[in-house]
Amino acid sequence: MSAQLPSDLAGADRANRLAGKVAVVTGGGQGVGRGISLGLAESGAAILLVGRTREKLHGVADEIRAAGGTAECLAVNITHEGSPNAIIESAIEYFGGFDILVNNANMARPMPLSDYPDDGFRKAFDAGPGIALTLMKLARPIMKQRGGGVILNLVTSAAVRWDPSNYGVYGAVKEAMRALTRAAAYEWAADGIRALNIAPHAHSPGLDWWMENNPEEAAEFIAAIPAGRVGDPLDDIGRPVAWLCSAEASYLSGATIPLDGGQSRWG
């Protein structure tokens, strides 16, 4: 799918909402990460796109630049030693720092507990909450020096779904992210830093493949969404995220925001 940034940036209010801000987005080359990157750029933020596939990152950067935005790319495997520091150093090199950190990269996969390999379990936690916490800690002094910032951690409603089969490890990884976010919101509030969880549901290459190859199950899945459709990465995820990062949402921190058309059942 290809959501295009409107040429007029949808009005002055949206275009100036994050003017002068810089965002680092991991997993920014496709799916929800791409939608968030486009939404932040549409609102005026400069973007450092981080991911493993150079071609995908540059494709998103080209979309942002074509609409008049600013974007740079860093192709890196975040699980490799030194990658978190390389991300931070790149943001400083390109933009002098950053104000928004989006932890979207993920290695956990839906799979029955009995089938999940032990090393895969450990890697999922290392790549998810492990790397996220490292980036959060590295981001804190930079954000504090710039007068504050916003940390967004991507989580999942699969952790609270009515049938958790196959989602045990995936949900556990994302619930660990939620706990880190909640603690950061309390511990770093005095630094002007807000922390939020985003639980999105939107089109991605993986989901689209599954829907195309399992039409009956996909129809049942969509029927369980009150909104009656799967979300668009830009319209339904990226643009709300941009608002959440703005001064208009300055009183909101520590919460989990479901952007899923009403499907999730958070307690």
Side-chain angles (χ1 to χ4, degrees):
M1 296 186 65
S2 178
Q4 191 172 13
L5 277 76
S7 58
D8 65 354
L9 292 177
D13 289 343
R14 180 181 291 163
N16 295 324
R17 181 173 283 152
L18 299 175
K21 303 297 184 181
V22 177
V24 174
V25 182
T26 68
Q30 65 180 12
V32 167
R34 170 182 168 273
I36 290 175
S37 298
L38 295 178
L40 294 173
E42 181 185 80
S43 287
I47 312 297
L48 175 62
L49 297 156
V50 180
R52 288 181 292 181
T53 307
R54 186 180 306 275
E55 292 76 14
K56 292 180 179 179
L57 296 175
H58 282 281
V60 178
D62 288 345
E63 290 184 82
I64 291 172
R65 293 167 184 155
T70 301
E72 298 292 344
C73 304
L74 177 64
V76 64
N77 186 326
I78 64 170
T79 65
H80 289 175
E81 185 175 355
S83 290
N85 290 94
I87 293 170
I88 302 302
E89 291 166 4
S90 294
I92 293 172
E93 177 185 352
Y94 285 127
F95 304 114
F98 60 98
D99 313 276
I100 299 165
L101 171 64
V102 180
N103 283 311
N104 175 55
N106 166 62
M107 287 184 65
R109 297 290 181 264
M111 188 183 298
L113 290 176
S114 296
D115 297 339
Y116 220 104
D118 289 344
D119 63 334
F121 178 84
R122 288 188 290 270
K123 288 178 181 178
F125 273 87
D126 287 344
I131 296 297
L133 178 57
T134 299
L135 287 171
M136 289 164 65
K137 291 191 294 183
L138 291 171
R140 181 190 180 188
I142 296 171
M143 290 182 175
K144 180 179 180 180
Q145 186 177 30
R146 291 167 68 92
V150 182
I151 295 169
L152 290 168
N153 290 328
L154 275 288
V155 299
T156 180
S157 60
V160 295
R161 59 183 281 126
W162 60 97
D163 178 4
S165 300
N166 300 323
Y167 288 97
V169 172
Y170 184 69
V173 165
K174 294 298 187 177
E175 286 295 271
M177 297 279 281
R178 286 219 303 151
L180 295 176
T181 304
R182 185 69 172 164
Y186 273 76
E187 294 178 12
W188 301 347
D191 298 331
I193 297 172
R194 295 189 293 120
L196 293 165
N197 294 299
I198 306 299
H201 189 280
H203 286 284
S204 68
L207 177 60
D208 291 344
W209 180 92
W210 178 82
M211 292 176 64
E212 291 171 4
N213 289 273
N214 301 275
E216 292 185 5
E217 293 91 334
E220 293 177 0
F221 181 73
I222 293 174
I225 303 173
R229 61 182 177 83
V230 175
D232 178 81
L234 172 57
D235 293 340
D236 299 313
I237 311 300
R239 285 173 178 156
V241 163
W243 179 81
L244 290 169
C245 291
S246 74
E248 297 169 24
S250 62
Y251 200 49
L252 181 59
S253 189
T256 297
I257 312 297
L259 297 174
D260 62 1
Q263 186 185 42
S264 60
R265 302 178 182 182
W266 295 96

